[in-house]
Amino acid sequence: MRLRVEFTTEPFDLDDPPEHALVARRVVREVGLEQVDVGPFGNSAEGEAESVLGAVDALLRQTLRVGATRVSVQVSTVAEGGGR
């Protein structure tokens, strides 16, 4: 099963990405998720279920450890062929 994860970390800082935002982005890249899309108000990535779920676990633990005060996460299944 393929999953798509969308997430944001707070507090926001539009001038310089805070440590927790950089950590979150590093986590999804290191796990090897695909279609990683990074933006100032949200990030997303796709991958096999175990990889995405592992990334979510690491994302929550690591971003909270370095100062995130809120982490919003949405996980959705991805239909065969890439549609939702």
Side-chain angles (χ1 to χ4, degrees), residues 1-6 34-35 44-48 76-84:
M1 173 189 320
R2 287 186 61 80
L3 299 175
R4 177 177 179 81
V5 60
E6 299 173 68
E34 303 158 14
Q35 298 182 11
S44 63
E46 291 183 11
E48 293 302 316
S76 307
T77 59
V78 176
E80 292 294 323
R84 288 185 201 154

Side-chain angles (χ1 to χ4, degrees), residues 5-10 12 43 59-60 70-74:
V5 60
E6 299 173 68
F7 61 92
T8 58
T9 61
E10 296 178 39
F12 295 116
N43 309 280
L59 174 91
L60 292 171
R70 173 182 283 195
V71 182
S72 301
V73 177
Q74 179 173 303

Side-chain angles (χ1 to χ4, degrees), residues 8-12 18-24 59-72:
T8 58
T9 61
E10 296 178 39
F12 295 116
E19 177 82 16
H20 56 81
L22 299 174
V23 165
L59 174 91
L60 292 171
R61 292 175 190 278
Q62 293 182 34
T63 58
L64 292 169
R65 188 177 314 129
V66 297
T69 57
R70 173 182 283 195
V71 182
S72 301

Side-chain angles (χ1 to χ4, degrees), residues 6-37:
E6 299 173 68
F7 61 92
T8 58
T9 61
E10 296 178 39
F12 295 116
D13 184 339
L14 294 177
D15 294 326
D16 293 308
E19 177 82 16
H20 56 81
L22 299 174
V23 165
R25 294 169 188 171
R26 187 183 74 236
V27 165
V28 296
R29 289 193 171 116
E30 285 179 355
V31 172
L33 298 184
E34 303 158 14
Q35 298 182 11
V36 175
D37 183 23

